[in-house]
Amino acid sequence: MEFILLSGPRQSGKTTLTKQLLKTLITYFDLEEDPQFYRRWQKTHLDVMLRQDFLDLYSIRALKRLELLIDLLKPRVSSTTSYSNLAHDLQVDSKTIKNWLEMLESIYAVFNITPYHTPIARSILKEPKFYFYDVGRVADKGARLENLVACSLLKEIHYLEDAYGYKGRLHYLKTKEGQEIDFLITIDEKPILCVEVKNTDDTPARSFHYFSKFLGDMPRIQLVASMKREFITQDGIQVSYLANFLSRFSLNDYL
């Protein structure tokens, strides 16, 4: 496979990536310098959100279950979410879980993305993925990177909607056979960008080729948190340094 080299080795991206993480948080403070303060802030912030918004509607016992629901969502970031499994864990029905998740979305605690399936045979049609607006709530490093990218892509979609009147959606791609791409952006129901997120693997995901059969020719980008160089493959897949890409990302470039 032939590559077009985009850039040489980069300096350590730790500081830049930390800044990208901080941009997605509600407040700006250094997670590495004062992690204890951040953990206290997280707990206090969650208490304020739940009790101020939901105390008039739910009992204290129900609020405790909402807190448990948030805890159950954390390890599920980057994976599909089963309402029935959450209902079983919390001993409520699936309808209650859906209502609680919708309320958590309404206070900007979480957001969901749905599978894109219109032209794709044997796709998974139902289960969404949930991500946190506060990326720091996600413990797993790989899932946290994916959550960071989800927030960045969603922010750009909202900007296009507010500034230019487009209708944008953030999806993921997955088949029953396990072919998967982390993110697909559609604008006015037209797919315009595929994005895969990796921690260190700069080998282009094979799923790009699979989904190209259904989605046609569109930009395909693999974002890698730690890599030696950026490049474009012979068949047009762009492999980019994650922090550098997010720092300059604009959806206007793909319209």
Side-chain angles (χ1 to χ4, degrees):
M1 182 179 293
E2 296 183 3
F3 303 103
I4 301 172
L5 185 64
L6 295 182
S7 67
R10 294 191 172 275
Q11 297 178 352
S12 172
K14 185 176 182 181
T15 300
T16 305
L17 189 55
T18 299
K19 289 179 179 179
Q20 290 294 336
L21 285 166
L22 288 174
K23 286 180 181 179
T24 69
L25 300 178
I26 298 172
T27 60
Y28 295 80
F29 44 77
D30 198 325
L31 300 182
E32 295 181 348
E33 291 294 329
D34 198 349
Q36 291 183 355
F37 175 79
Y38 175 63
R39 286 194 296 269
R40 292 196 304 270
W41 176 85
Q42 269 194 331
K43 186 177 186 304
T44 302
H45 178 65
L46 180 61
D47 288 343
V48 169
M49 283 197 304
L50 293 180
R51 280 158 178 76
Q52 284 189 354
D53 288 278
F54 297 144
L55 189 55
D56 292 339
L57 300 175
Y58 291 96
S59 65
I60 294 296
R61 181 180 178 184
L63 290 178
K64 289 294 184 183
R65 288 188 177 181
L66 277 171
E67 292 176 349
L68 288 174
L69 175 58
I70 290 175
D71 288 337
L72 290 173
L73 287 175
K74 293 176 185 178
R76 288 173 164 84
V77 167
S78 82
S79 302
T80 55
T81 299
S82 168
Y83 296 125
S84 59
N85 288 346
L86 289 172
H88 179 268
D89 291 341
L90 292 173
Q91 298 182 347
V92 296
D93 56 57
S94 295
K95 184 177 180 180
T96 299
I97 293 294
K98 291 180 181 180
N99 289 338
W100 285 353
L101 287 169
E102 287 175 0
M103 287 186 293
L104 290 176
E105 290 184 77
S106 72
I107 62 171
Y108 297 96
V110 300
F111 62 94
N112 81 80
I113 70 173
T114 56
Y116 183 80
H117 56 79
T118 302
I120 302 173
R122 299 183 61 77
S123 62
I124 293 177
L125 302 180
K126 295 182 179 180
E127 294 183 342
K129 291 184 178 182
F130 281 87
Y131 296 93
F132 287 88
Y133 284 101
D134 180 0
V135 176
R137 293 192 183 278
V138 185
D140 179 78
K141 185 177 181 180
R144 189 164 62 244
L145 282 173
E146 187 174 318
N147 200 143
L148 166 66
V149 174
C151 287
S152 299
L153 299 180
L154 187 66
K155 179 183 70 174
E156 277 295 309
I157 291 171
H158 288 167
Y159 171 72
L160 280 187
E161 290 179 327
D162 294 341
Y164 300 101
Y166 289 107
K167 180 181 179 181
R169 293 292 299 273
L170 183 60
H171 297 281
Y172 71 91
L173 294 167
K174 188 172 183 179
T175 68
K176 294 178 181 178
E177 289 77 20
Q179 299 281 356
E180 183 173 7
I181 293 294
D182 292 328
F183 302 110
L184 172 74
I185 294 176
T186 65
I187 298 297
D188 291 341
E189 301 184 0
K190 178 184 177 182
I192 66 165
L193 178 65
C194 277
V195 178
E196 177 73 5
V197 182
K198 299 290 186 182
N199 187 22
T200 59
D201 185 5
D202 62 1
T203 303
R206 294 181 179 180
S207 295
F208 280 129
H209 301 289
Y210 176 84
F211 288 111
S212 291
K213 295 183 296 183
F214 303 99
L215 301 175
D217 186 24
M218 77 172 71
R220 296 162 293 167
I221 301 174
Q222 183 157 313
L223 301 180
V224 186
S226 178
M227 62 185 300
K228 292 182 179 180
R229 72 191 194 285
E230 298 181 316
F231 58 90
I232 298 176
T233 66
Q234 189 176 24
D235 51 356
I237 299 172
Q238 180 179 334
V239 181
S240 295
Y241 177 54
L242 186 148
N244 185 53
F245 177 86
L246 294 184
S247 69
R248 64 173 187 260
F249 176 59
S250 170
L251 268 181
N252 278 312
D253 296 336
Y254 300 92
L255 295 179

